[in-house]
């Protein structure tokens, strides 16, 4: 008879401290972070709300993957409820006429009723992270959240910082910093002075 063998690694035991015993969500997140580190896995903030948004996308004949946005992270950054995210998605769908899960510059400006506006065109350039001429729903949602927020300038800066801090280590590395500069001051040249700062 065939015999299959396997080895199971449960990882190290995580004992909660006093703070974690009072906050089950904090405890679960730290256990998850430790498991990710131990097994060398990437940890994300995807939640059941992302599944609900995918169901909404399918219902509207849009790509399900277009709304995998890490809803928990969006809520934490912008104090935004799921109902608000759904309303933004419905507005996004109206602009996404070909239902490919992306907005072109023209789609975006039409939705803002700002065709020909250099200000909103610059906003699109800031949101278009990879410069391909399109933005997805997650980027659109972040842009609209900033545009409709009453947060202080300092708080907005902190949240923009956290978005560009891709690896979440609390610091900006050279690549993350250059990504900001490329948005603010488009250029094909990389200044050696910038690299010197990070050495």
């Amino acid at each position: 008879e065939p015999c299959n063998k396997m080895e199971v690694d449960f990882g190290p035991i995580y004992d909660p401290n006093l703070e974690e015993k009072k906050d089950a969500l904090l405890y679960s997140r730290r256990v998850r972070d430790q498991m990710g580190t131990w097994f060398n896995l990437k940890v994300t903030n995807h939640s059941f709300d992302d599944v609900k948004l995918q169901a909404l996308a399918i219902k509207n004949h849009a790509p399900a993957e277009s709304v995998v946005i890490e809803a928990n992270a969006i809520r934490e950054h912008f104090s935004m409820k799921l109902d608000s995210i759904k309303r933004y998605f419905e507005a996004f769908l109206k602009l996404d006429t070909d239902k490919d899960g992306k907005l072109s510059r023209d789609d975006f400006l039409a939705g803002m009723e700002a065709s020909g506006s250099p200000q909103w065109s610059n906003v699109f350039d800031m949101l278009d992270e990879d410069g391909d001429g399109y933005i997805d729903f997650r980027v659109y949602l972040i842009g609209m959240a900033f545009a409709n927020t009453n947060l202080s300038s300092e708080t907005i800066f902190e949240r923009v910082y956290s978005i560009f801090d891709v690896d979440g280590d609390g610091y900006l590395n050279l690549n993350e910093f250059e990504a900001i500069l490329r948005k603010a001051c488009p250029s094909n040249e990389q200044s050696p002075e910038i690299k010197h700062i990070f050495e």
Side-chain angles (χ1 to χ4, degrees), residues 38-188:
W38 180 261
F39 295 109
N40 195 28
L41 299 172
K42 184 177 179 180
V43 173
T44 71
N45 282 316
H46 293 107
S47 66
F48 187 55
D49 283 348
D50 288 288
V51 177
K52 292 178 181 177
L53 289 169
Q54 284 184 300
L56 180 61
I58 293 170
K59 182 179 179 181
N60 286 277
H61 309 290
E65 62 273 14
S66 65
V67 286
V68 180
I69 59 170
E70 296 189 60
N72 276 348
I74 297 294
R75 281 208 306 268
E76 288 175 11
H77 282 304
F78 303 106
S79 302
M80 188 181 294
K81 296 182 179 179
L82 180 61
D83 287 343
S84 296
I85 296 176
K86 285 182 176 180
R87 283 196 295 273
Y88 279 117
F89 182 57
E90 288 167 355
F92 180 90
L93 287 174
K94 290 178 181 178
L95 302 177
D96 182 20
T97 53
D98 56 2
K99 297 294 184 286
D100 64 352
K102 297 182 294 184
L103 297 184
S104 67
R105 181 189 301 273
D106 290 341
D107 293 334
F108 178 77
L109 293 178
M112 297 298 105
E113 298 181 354
S115 296
S117 166
Q119 291 82 8
W120 278 107
S121 186
N122 288 339
V123 170
F124 181 88
D125 289 335
M126 289 288 291
L127 296 175
D128 181 17
E129 187 174 3
D130 58 8
D132 67 350
Y134 295 90
I135 59 174
D136 60 19
F137 173 61
R138 185 174 191 273
V139 174
Y140 169 83
L141 179 62
I142 291 171
M144 293 302 96
F146 279 130
N148 293 285
T149 185
N150 292 319
L151 299 173
S152 67
S153 297
E154 181 179 354
T155 302
I156 290 175
F157 177 79
E158 290 173 352
R159 295 185 183 182
V160 170
Y161 179 94
S162 67
I163 291 169
F164 278 99
D165 179 20
V166 178
D167 54 15
D169 64 354
Y171 299 91
L172 292 180
N173 60 36
L174 175 60
N175 291 333
E176 292 165 342
F177 187 68
E178 286 184 336
I180 296 174
L181 292 182
R182 279 195 298 272
K183 294 300 178 185
C185 309
S187 172
N188 293 325

Side-chain angles (χ1 to χ4, degrees), residues 24-37:
L25 184 58
L26 176 64
Y27 172 63
S28 66
R29 285 176 177 170
R30 289 181 176 172
V31 169
R32 181 193 64 177
D33 290 342
Q34 177 176 282
M35 291 176 66
T37 300

